[in-house]
Amino acid sequence: DRLNIAPENFHAAQNMMYGISKSGGPVIAEQTQWIEKFAGKTGAQGLEGMAELSATMQIAMKNGASASAAAENFDHFLQTTFSKKTDSWFASQGVDLQGSLLEHQQNGMGVSEAMTHIVQMQLEKMNPAILDTFKRTMQIEDLSARSNALQSMVTQFNLGEMFGDAQTVEFLAPMLANMEEYRQLKASAMQATSKNLINADFSAQMASPIEQTKALRRLFASSAPGYANIRRWCKTLRKSSGRFGCLTAR
């Protein structure tokens, strides 16, 4: 609803969320909470906006102990992005931040990708070594040690005014280190909308001998006189597995 997805695209949206969860991403409940929290704050709209939010969530969770921690980091990032203090800092560097964000968004980027790209370009101008340091720091496995290393890096390169606060850095670090993966996740999410993943998995599950046996038991329990139905199910079982006999008269 917050994304203004057209009714005819609801099933496509469900397939996107299901596909993300099936491929090892956040569960659907976590995705739903993320969308509810950030659709309005980012201006994300439609299936494209949903794909942007889902990709952002998956990258943010690379540097969060939980979905809620990643959400808090993203929230701080958005506050920093639209703050007057951040505007002033970029203006001091000769960058019209809000104008640049608008230009990026007109070229099809969501706010997360747009701001990350602007930050990336600025860091490259300041010191090309900064981006490489971000990438190396993100390889530290222990979250606490990684967080400490990120803050040390901010101090080393004098990035405090640019990033605003520690949690903004906690979100930007995985985005800067994994922009290509972000784009791939977004593309995969959009591809899932054209696939009937939910129905395909349900059909595959119901085609298994175990599920067919369960269905047969339900049929016995619900309709004792349904002899013709039972015979049809027996034939189906023989064709699909060849391993079940039938208890009815031949």
Side-chain angles (χ1 to χ4, degrees):
D1 185 42
R2 290 180 181 272
L3 291 166
N4 291 320
I5 293 175
E8 61 269 23
N9 288 330
F10 282 172
H11 190 60
Q14 290 173 332
N15 272 301
M16 182 191 295
M17 298 177 80
Y18 179 78
I20 290 166
S21 181
K22 182 182 177 183
S23 62
V27 299
I28 291 174
E30 290 176 334
Q31 293 180 56
T32 302
Q33 290 171 358
W34 187 277
I35 290 167
E36 284 289 316
K37 186 174 179 66
F38 295 118
K41 293 181 179 182
T42 60
Q45 293 285 292
L47 293 174
E48 185 81 15
M50 188 175 179
E52 290 168 3
L53 285 174
S54 70
T56 300
M57 181 183 189
Q58 290 174 85
I59 297 298
M61 288 183 69
K62 288 178 177 289
N63 202 37
S66 64
S68 60
E72 194 171 337
N73 291 340
F74 186 41
D75 206 20
H76 275 257
F77 161 79
L78 292 173
Q79 291 173 34
T80 299
T81 297
F82 297 111
S83 74
K84 290 182 179 179
K85 185 178 178 181
T86 305
D87 269 352
S88 297
W89 187 88
F90 274 93
S92 73
Q93 305 299 309
V95 178
D96 173 8
L97 179 58
Q98 299 309 317
S100 186
L101 279 170
L102 181 60
E103 183 179 349
H104 278 72
Q105 289 175 296
Q106 287 172 341
N107 289 326
M109 290 188 189
V111 65
S112 303
E113 184 179 2
M115 185 61 177
T116 302
H117 186 239
I118 292 167
V119 169
Q120 178 182 329
M121 291 190 296
Q122 187 61 33
L123 292 176
E124 287 171 345
K125 285 196 293 184
M126 292 168 63
N127 186 340
I130 298 176
L131 286 173
D132 288 335
T133 307
F134 264 119
K135 291 177 181 178
R136 288 198 303 272
T137 303
M138 280 301 299
Q139 292 174 358
I140 299 173
E141 292 189 9
D142 181 78
L143 281 177
S144 179
R146 186 193 302 163
S147 181
N148 290 336
L150 284 171
Q151 295 314 310
S152 296
M153 181 186 155
V154 168
T155 302
Q156 176 189 350
F157 292 106
N158 194 26
L159 302 174
E161 288 188 38
M162 181 183 189
F163 289 142
D165 63 25
Q167 285 173 291
T168 296
V169 179
E170 296 285 343
F171 171 77
L172 268 172
M175 285 292 289
L176 288 165
N178 298 279
M179 276 308 298
E180 188 56 39
E181 184 178 351
Y182 166 87
R183 296 184 182 106
Q184 290 172 355
L185 288 168
K186 180 181 170 183
S188 295
M190 287 303 296
Q191 289 168 5
T193 63
S194 61
K195 299 175 182 177
N196 210 349
L197 298 173
I198 298 173
N199 286 351
D201 277 10
F202 179 77
S203 297
Q205 182 185 28
M206 291 307 296
S208 74
I210 292 174
E211 292 300 327
Q212 289 186 346
T213 302
K214 289 179 182 177
L216 182 59
R217 287 173 181 163
R218 288 195 295 270
L219 188 62
F220 269 118
S222 64
S223 179
Y227 181 81
N229 288 334
I230 294 171
R231 286 186 62 84
R232 281 197 295 272
W233 264 97
C234 287
K235 290 178 182 177
T236 302
L237 290 173
R238 288 197 198 99
K239 289 178 182 178
S240 62
S241 68
R243 291 183 294 171
F244 291 87
C246 187
L247 299 177
T248 56
R250 300 178 184 274

